[in-house]
């Protein structure tokens, strides 16, 4: 898609592959929601084009503009926007009939299927006023998916939910987002949403794309100011090992704890990501021994001043992911006499490492 809106200082262009989940990040007012509204047909750009597969939804050069209800684009926002006078089942049936023009009997089958997919089968007879915030969002997701959209747009759908409910909703989203080659775009301010749901990240600032790339690369080595503030973490990718461990492809084993929202959801061999803050990392010249901890030998790539701290960044990980970082005091850096090219040991306690399902 390409969209230019002069009044909102927006000028962006990007593509999303079938089955891919792209997270759009940026400060308030950067244009994130506007991008979604252009794709959904709620906002007409001054110039640009929106294509989904072989279908052109918007093209300002020839005046093409498909109506919102014919775009096969689903939009899920912070407010579920369920029809208050309809039951949960009727809300989902509305989505099914609007998407494929299904007969009543066929729409009932779709309702049962999608309420089951979002773990809300027991809610079919309730009215929206009888639902909790998390239940309402599940129903809104079922309604959006029942229309079988080619593209699913998610505009901060987990904002306002409590931690446990957001974690459960995140688990549902992981299961259904990339089904049947559907492309998805996620706008969020939550780091965990990005780590667990997104294949790729786009960063917007002042209506322009300032950074784009695979999730691990953008979070691990951010080039924009916003991405650096947003991430602020180390990230290691691998597969779930026995217990609460992560095994990398280069024979490292990381010990940590599985995020409580995914307890029981991570199976042996599943793709996972371990995250931990640079301030949790200690640096040693010689391999330390003693209390249980994660210890890895690294080669220093660079040192950088971060206010009162010194950030020690290691060379890229063997899979090409950005190198790990440690934040230490200037006094420690001076005592260790660190420099680029030198081998040191990074250690971090297991309780500081959080392991999440990853895409």
């Amino acid at each position: 898609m390409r969209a230019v809106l002069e009044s909102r200082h927006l000028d962006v262009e990007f593509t999303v592959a079938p089955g891919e989940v792209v997270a759009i990040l940026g400060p308030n007012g950067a244009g994130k929601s506007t991008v979604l509204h252009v794709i959904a047909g709620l906002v007409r750009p001054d110039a640009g084009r929106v294509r989904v597969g072989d279908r052109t939804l918007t093209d300002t050069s020839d005046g093409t503009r498909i109506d919102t209800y014919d775009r096969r684009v689903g939009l899920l926002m912070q407010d579920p926007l369920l029809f208050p006078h309809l039951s949960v089942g009727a809300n989902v049936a509305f989505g099914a009939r609007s998407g494929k023009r299904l007969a009543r009997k066929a729409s009932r089958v779709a309702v049962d299927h999608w309420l089951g997919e979002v773990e809300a089968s027991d809610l079919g007879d309730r009215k929206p006023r009888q639902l909790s915030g998390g239940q309402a969002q599940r129903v809104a997701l079922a309604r959006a998916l029942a229309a079988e959209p080619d593209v699913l747009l998610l505009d901060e759908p987990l904002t306002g939910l409590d931690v446990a409910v957001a974690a459960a909703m995140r688990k549902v989203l992981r299961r259904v987002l990339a089904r049947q080659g559907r492309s998805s775009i996620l706008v969020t301010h939550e780091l965990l949403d990005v780590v667990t749901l997104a294949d790729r990240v786009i960063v917007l600032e002042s209506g322009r794309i300032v950074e784009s790339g695979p999730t691990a690369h953008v979070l691990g080595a951010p080039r924009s100011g916003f991405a650096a503030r947003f991430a602020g973490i180390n990230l290691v990718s691998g597969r779930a090992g026995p217990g609460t461990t992560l095994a990398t492809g280069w024979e490292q084993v990381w010990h940590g704890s599985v995020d409580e929202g995914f307890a029981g959801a991570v199976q042996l061999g599943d793709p996972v990501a371990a995250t931990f803050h640079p301030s949790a990392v200690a640096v040693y010249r010689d391999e330390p021994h003693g209390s249980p901890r994660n210890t890895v030998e690294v080669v220093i790539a660079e040192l950088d001043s971060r206010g009162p701290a010194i950030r020690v960044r290691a060379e890229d990980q063997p899979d090409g992911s950005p190198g790990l970082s440690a934040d230490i005091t200037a006094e420690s850096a001076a005592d260790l006499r660190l420099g680029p090219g030198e081998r040191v040991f990074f250690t971090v306690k297991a309780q500081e490492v959080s392991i999440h399902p990853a895409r």
Side-chain angles (χ1 to χ4, degrees):
M1 69 92 69
R2 168 81 196 285
V4 177
L5 279 88
E6 294 182 3
S7 63
R8 305 189 190 185
H9 308 290
L10 181 76
D11 188 344
V12 298
E13 183 173 6
F14 63 89
T15 60
V16 182
E20 185 179 34
V21 181
V22 172
I24 299 182
L25 310 178
N28 292 333
K32 305 183 297 296
S33 293
T34 300
V35 169
L36 300 192
H37 293 167
V38 169
I39 297 171
L42 301 174
V43 172
R44 183 185 181 111
D46 298 319
R49 182 173 61 178
V50 178
R51 290 180 56 85
V52 177
D54 296 330
R55 295 187 303 127
T56 299
L57 306 185
T58 297
D59 192 338
T60 57
S61 67
D62 61 12
T64 299
R65 189 186 184 191
I66 302 300
D67 290 331
T68 297
Y69 58 82
D70 276 336
R71 290 190 167 224
R72 299 208 298 270
V73 173
L75 176 61
L76 184 65
M77 298 184 290
Q78 181 178 347
D79 187 337
L81 296 177
L82 298 175
F83 300 121
H85 62 290
L86 298 180
S87 69
V88 162
N91 266 279
V92 179
F94 177 88
R97 289 197 294 270
S98 65
K100 296 189 69 175
R101 306 294 192 267
L102 296 179
R104 189 173 300 275
K105 182 177 180 180
S107 70
R108 284 199 297 268
V109 173
V111 168
D112 291 341
H113 170 73
W114 286 111
L115 284 180
E117 283 290 300
V118 302
E119 301 175 4
S121 296
D122 59 333
L123 304 178
D125 294 330
R126 297 189 190 182
K127 290 291 181 66
R129 66 177 179 275
Q130 298 173 298
L131 303 178
S132 67
Q135 290 171 336
Q137 278 295 45
R138 290 182 186 222
V139 173
L141 176 60
R143 183 177 65 180
L145 292 172
E148 298 194 6
D150 296 325
V151 178
L152 184 62
L153 308 176
L154 302 151
D155 195 354
E156 301 194 60
L158 308 186
T159 300
L161 301 180
D162 65 42
V163 174
V165 173
M169 184 68 179
R170 204 174 282 119
K171 180 180 175 181
V172 170
L173 286 170
R174 271 184 53 79
R175 191 173 66 250
V176 303
L177 275 189
R179 292 273 182 88
Q180 303 168 331
R182 181 181 297 111
S183 302
S184 301
I185 302 176
L186 168 69
V187 167
T188 182
H189 284 96
E190 291 294 329
L191 177 63
L192 192 53
D193 294 347
V194 180
V195 171
T196 58
L197 299 175
D199 301 296
R200 187 159 54 92
V201 170
I202 292 172
V203 181
L204 289 185
E205 290 188 6
S206 302
R208 302 293 191 275
I209 295 175
V210 296
E211 190 166 4
S212 177
T215 299
H217 284 254
V218 173
L219 295 182
R223 299 191 307 273
S224 65
F226 179 86
R229 292 189 298 274
F230 182 86
I233 60 167
N234 286 307
L235 188 148
V236 180
S237 299
R239 298 277 175 175
T244 54
T245 62
L246 176 151
T248 69
W250 53 97
E251 300 182 348
Q252 281 183 2
V253 176
W254 287 82
H255 298 264
S257 59
V258 175
D259 181 78
E260 63 179 14
F262 292 101
V266 177
Q267 304 298 320
L268 189 67
D270 283 352
V272 291
T275 59
F276 51 96
H277 198 276
S279 63
V281 182
V283 181
Y284 295 87
R285 278 286 188 178
D286 301 311
E287 185 173 5
H289 301 280
S291 61
R293 66 184 72 194
N294 297 290
T295 301
V296 293
E297 186 178 15
V298 301
V299 177
I300 298 175
E302 61 181 355
L303 289 88
D304 184 26
S305 176
R306 297 291 176 112
I310 300 295
R311 174 155 295 183
V312 183
R313 185 182 294 278
E315 292 183 350
D316 286 351
Q317 299 175 59
D319 65 349
S321 296
L324 303 178
S325 295
D327 286 346
I328 62 176
T329 65
E331 181 181 5
S332 295
D335 288 343
L336 292 167
R337 300 182 65 84
L338 303 177
E342 297 182 358
R343 291 185 175 273
V344 295
F345 291 90
F346 280 4
T347 73
V348 57
K349 295 178 180 178
Q351 60 262 37
E352 299 288 348
V353 178
S354 183
I355 298 176
H356 317 280
R359 292 186 56 80

